Amino acid sequence: MCGIAGALSFNGQQVSPSLIRQMTDAMAHRGPDADALYTEGEIGLGHRRLAIIDLSEAANQPFTDNSGRYIIVFNGELYNFEDVKATMPDYNYRTQGDTEAMLVAFIRRGPASISAFKGMFALALWDREEKSLYLVRDRMGVKPLYYYVDAERLVFASEIRPILATGFVRRQVSRQALKEFLSYQSVGHPHVAIEGIQQVEAGGYLKIKDGRIENKHYWDVSNCPVDFDFADTTAVRGRIAGLMATSVEKRLISDVPIGAFLSGGIDSSAVVGLMAQVSTARPNTFTVSFTEKAFDESEYAGIIAKKFNTRHTNIPLQPTVFLDELENALNAMDTPSADGINTYVVSKAIRQAGMTVALSGIGGDELFAGYPFFKQYLKLQEKKNWFRGTSIPRKLAAGMLGGSASTRLQRIRQIIAAEAPDIQHMYPVSRQILAPALIRRLTTFDDFRMEDTDLYQQLQSRAACIGKYPLLSQVSMAEYLGYTQHTLLKDTDQMSMAVSLEVREPFFDHELVSFVLNIPDTIKYPTFPKSLLVDSLHPLLPDEIVHRKKQGFVFPWSEWMKKELRSFCSERISRMGQRSFIKGKELEGYWQRFLNND
């Protein structure tokens, strides 16, 4: 796990080492173990290293192949690097790690090699002879990769801060990103918060040569067929158990100690249980506990720790630590998010407990229908005939609900007035933080519609492919293209790397994801929470974990904002109201309504 950065000049101007150093210094937190760069003529590559596999200096990056023609910088982990190396036994390897295996595979087979990579990665590869640069991102978008291009150059990095550090980019907010953020609490592909900076798409890569950029895809979550007899439920469960075990086992490859987040919920408990099964070493588990019962899950975590004989560390915190760490977490944010503070606090505690790598159970809800909207979407499909030929009366009915600022009523209005109950119309509504009507009221985006968001456009462009899959899987695909990639995974990377902790997520293994997305709804339907996952792993998880009441990791921010954080918020909301795109009086009135418990 590391941070990468670089620059490519289009006009023959040399890239200076000081420029690359500025970029790597801006993300020093991503790699405290080594800092190096490579510059030659029009190219510059930089790397910050968090050493996980092959801790020797020989594995430091930028890394050059034996011929000296190719140079790579790489962020992430290639879990099957030993298998990749085994297909190329004639090469004289100088290291024991994954970077060299990835580089040699790319040299031998070009971009076709990416399909053999299993892991989380963002990489840049420079061909000195061909003068071409490749920027590649993993299938699920676990590792971020941003870039900026103008007539003179292209610059890229694992975070936005290094790109801003170059001074090439005007610090102007992207209006499209604002609409996305206000709607969904994060910014989706291809935009970012700063105008002109873009994201390399998950499952895609760029080839840059002679100033021209080719944008290619090698994998898409909406098109991942699997050859399997899904009529055999027992075989399906057995396959899931095998894929889960393999996914966890791959993510235990490390030359430093590995721990696991353990909340006592189904997903983290499954990961810990499988760690105990596939490894001879006792798992290291970590639970954050609280004296306030409303937030504390340590009792359930203790059950799992005892069952699987883990080296368990209970980290007691006061809920007010989230107040104390608020500004640190906000400073760690490289891109706006309404989430992530919880991840920052927990990651920091685990890092301080001595771990460099931790496994997480995030992703289980998205894959195994763990959110309420999965069932709600099925119910909407049962009423799809109600949407045909009723557009005018439905819009009239929606209008009768009035202009309430209530998020729930706004969602109901949008669902009633929707063109159809398909995924591109229903999912964006389900994930809204602020409805379009409220955004129009508080901002100058007077003509804003949900259809203007990147999320809607992403779903609309894939509608034909998504529609071929079972209904529950359609929701999973929407989750991956929306909240999961741009909030959950982005926050996990950002907040864990802010404290130099690598987090690995077994539920985001692409082979597991592809298989589960092809399972019929009749098998996947959650008769109890994530029943297919639980039944597939039976008897791994005890009943008191499976059938416990789901407890979200949610703290009383709304109360803190009215008390401890009131002046903090008031000052910033007042400042925000002075922005050209905000209607200051409307925003101030909305804030006062909140303070008055309306």
Side-chain angles (χ1 to χ4, degrees):
M1 184 72 71
C2 311
I4 64 175
L8 175 63
S9 173
F10 296 151
N11 58 11
Q13 185 175 351
Q14 290 195 344
V15 173
S16 70
S18 61
L19 174 70
I20 304 302
R21 179 68 66 200
Q22 281 178 302
M23 298 181 76
T24 56
D25 284 349
M27 55 176 182
H29 50 275
R30 295 188 73 93
D33 298 328
D35 177 18
L37 57 88
Y38 166 91
T39 58
E40 182 184 41
E42 70 269 50
I43 188 70
L45 301 173
H47 190 262
R48 297 290 316 208
R49 186 181 185 199
L50 180 63
I52 304 293
I53 297 174
D54 188 347
L55 309 183
S56 70
E57 291 186 6
N60 285 351
Q61 301 177 43
F63 189 90
T64 306
D65 78 306
N66 291 340
S67 73
R69 174 177 170 177
Y70 302 92
I71 303 98
I72 190 173
V73 286
F74 158 52
N75 166 36
E77 303 291 348
L78 185 64
Y79 301 126
N80 68 327
F81 74 93
E82 293 286 9
D83 296 334
V84 172
K85 286 175 67 173
T87 66
M88 306 172 294
D90 56 323
Y91 187 83
N92 182 25
Y93 292 94
R94 312 192 314 267
T95 66
Q96 303 299 314
D98 52 355
T99 303
E100 189 172 21
M102 181 175 276
L103 175 58
V104 176
F106 208 100
I107 293 169
R108 296 283 179 90
R109 296 191 288 275
S113 64
I114 307 170
S115 296
F117 296 164
K118 299 177 181 179
M120 53 180 188
F121 50 85
L123 69 91
L125 186 145
W126 173 248
D127 183 338
R128 297 175 63 206
E129 213 171 275
E130 190 183 274
K131 304 291 185 182
S132 60
L133 175 69
Y134 288 90
L135 300 178
V136 186
R137 194 172 177 203
D138 66 66
R139 294 170 180 84
M140 301 301 297
V142 177
K143 293 291 103 188
L145 188 54
Y146 302 96
Y147 68 100
Y148 166 79
V149 61
D150 60 25
E152 298 180 357
R153 66 186 68 81
L154 177 143
V155 291
F156 68 88
S158 296
E159 296 185 357
I160 297 171
R161 277 172 287 216
I163 296 177
L164 292 177
T166 65
F168 297 143
V169 184
R170 182 183 176 193
R171 294 173 179 246
Q172 179 177 333
V173 69
S174 164
R175 290 176 69 87
Q176 180 61 35
L178 274 171
K179 295 173 183 177
E180 202 79 9
F181 174 72
L182 292 172
S183 298
Y184 306 118
Q185 80 178 4
S186 60
V187 182
H189 178 270
H191 297 92
V192 302
I194 305 299
E195 188 70 43
I197 301 179
Q198 301 179 66
Q199 306 177 53
V200 176
E201 191 167 10
Y205 67 90
L206 305 181
K207 179 181 179 181
I208 305 98
K209 179 176 169 59
D210 298 328
R212 295 191 300 271
I213 300 176
E214 295 180 55
N215 197 333
K216 303 283 188 180
H217 293 85
Y218 65 91
W219 193 83
D220 194 300
V221 72
S222 66
N223 185 21
C224 46
V226 172
D227 184 16
F228 192 85
D229 179 12
F230 289 97
D232 187 340
T233 301
T234 301
V236 169
R237 291 174 179 169
R239 180 66 173 150
I240 290 172
L243 288 169
M244 281 292 302
T246 300
S247 178
V248 169
E249 187 173 23
K250 284 189 294 190
R251 284 160 178 79
L252 295 178
I253 298 172
S254 172
D255 292 329
V256 297
I258 294 182
F261 295 93
L262 179 58
S263 69
I266 290 173
D267 302 330
S268 66
S269 298
V271 169
V272 169
L274 290 169
M275 288 174 70
Q277 279 192 354
V278 302
S279 174
T280 55
R282 290 176 64 192
N284 299 297
T285 55
F286 297 84
T287 297
V288 171
S289 65
F290 302 94
T291 52
E292 286 77 358
K293 286 293 183 183
F295 311 132
D296 188 56
E297 298 182 278
S298 59
E299 175 188 350
Y300 299 104
I303 293 171
I304 293 299
K306 183 177 180 180
K307 176 177 173 63
F308 297 111
N309 190 31
T310 74
R311 292 188 183 91
H312 189 57
T313 301
N314 185 52
I315 304 173
L317 296 177
Q318 294 293 325
T320 51
V321 73
F322 290 87
L323 289 170
D324 300 336
E325 292 283 7
L326 176 60
E327 292 203 54
N328 291 332
L330 292 174
N331 288 335
M333 284 186 179
D334 183 58
T335 187
S337 175
D339 208 345
I341 295 172
N342 297 350
T343 304
Y344 177 86
V345 172
V346 175
S347 296
K348 187 173 183 177
I350 291 179
R351 184 70 168 109
Q352 290 174 340
M355 292 294 109
T356 308
V357 181
L359 268 62
S360 168
I362 64 169
D365 285 320
E366 290 77 8
L367 192 54
F368 290 98
Y371 295 130
F373 182 67
F374 281 90
K375 289 185 177 181
Q376 292 166 7
Y377 186 61
L378 291 183
K379 290 180 180 178
L380 283 167
Q381 301 315 299
E382 293 173 0
K383 302 185 184 304
K384 62 183 177 182
N385 290 335
W386 184 69
F387 282 78
R388 292 173 183 160
T390 60
S391 176
I392 294 176
R394 283 190 290 105
K395 287 180 180 178
L396 288 172
M400 292 173 64
L401 288 176
S404 169
S406 161
T407 302
R408 180 173 176 272
L409 283 178
Q410 288 287 346
R411 284 176 177 168
I412 293 172
R413 287 186 67 193
Q414 290 176 84
I415 289 171
I416 292 173
E419 182 180 320
D422 47 25
I423 197 66
Q424 65 265 36
H425 288 95
M426 297 295 108
Y427 176 77
V429 173
S430 78
R431 276 296 181 188
Q432 278 178 2
I433 302 302
L434 302 181
L438 185 55
I439 293 174
R440 291 193 295 267
R441 184 186 305 174
L442 298 177
T443 73
T444 59
F445 306 140
D446 295 328
D447 59 348
F448 175 69
R449 305 172 307 143
M450 182 189 72
E451 289 79 3
D452 297 332
T453 62
D454 291 326
L455 175 58
Y456 177 86
Q457 296 297 331
Q458 290 281 328
L459 293 171
Q460 179 69 25
S461 67
R462 292 173 168 85
C465 290
I466 295 175
K468 296 176 182 178
Y469 282 81
L471 295 174
L472 292 174
S473 294
Q474 292 180 25
V475 179
S476 291
M477 290 175 180
E479 286 285 355
Y480 290 134
L481 293 167
Y483 168 78
T484 304
Q485 184 182 144
H486 302 300
T487 302
L488 187 62
L489 285 174
K490 191 175 289 184
D491 286 346
T492 299
D493 173 84
Q494 198 167 95
M495 294 305 185
S496 62
M497 289 308 298
V499 295
S500 303
L501 177 74
E502 171 172 302
V503 176
R504 300 175 176 179
E505 304 99 344
F507 283 104
F508 288 104
D509 183 274
H510 79 273
E511 291 178 314
L512 172 68
V513 168
S514 297
F515 182 79
V516 177
L517 288 179
N518 284 272
I519 296 174
D521 292 338
T522 51
I523 297 177
K524 194 190 297 183
Y525 185 84
T527 52
F528 57 86
K530 286 166 277 194
S531 53
L532 177 57
L533 173 64
V534 172
D535 290 342
S536 299
L537 299 180
H538 185 77
L540 186 71
L541 301 178
D543 287 346
E544 53 264 54
I545 299 299
V546 172
H547 299 294
R548 57 168 284 201
K549 183 179 179 181
K550 188 176 178 67
Q551 184 171 344
F553 200 44
V554 179
F555 288 83
W557 292 106
S558 61
E559 292 304 310
W560 289 341
M561 288 170 71
K562 295 168 185 171
K563 297 175 183 175
E564 293 92 338
L565 290 175
R566 181 165 179 163
S567 60
F568 178 93
C569 293
S570 290
E571 178 185 340
R572 283 154 181 80
I573 286 172
S574 176
R575 207 181 297 162
M576 190 187 304
Q578 298 170 28
R579 299 260 186 166
S580 61
F581 52 83
I582 296 290
K583 296 176 182 175
K585 290 184 179 180
E586 290 284 354
L587 178 62
E588 181 60 34
Y590 198 63
W591 170 237
Q592 291 302 321
R593 288 178 60 188
F594 170 79
L595 293 176
N596 293 330
N597 299 313
D598 180 359

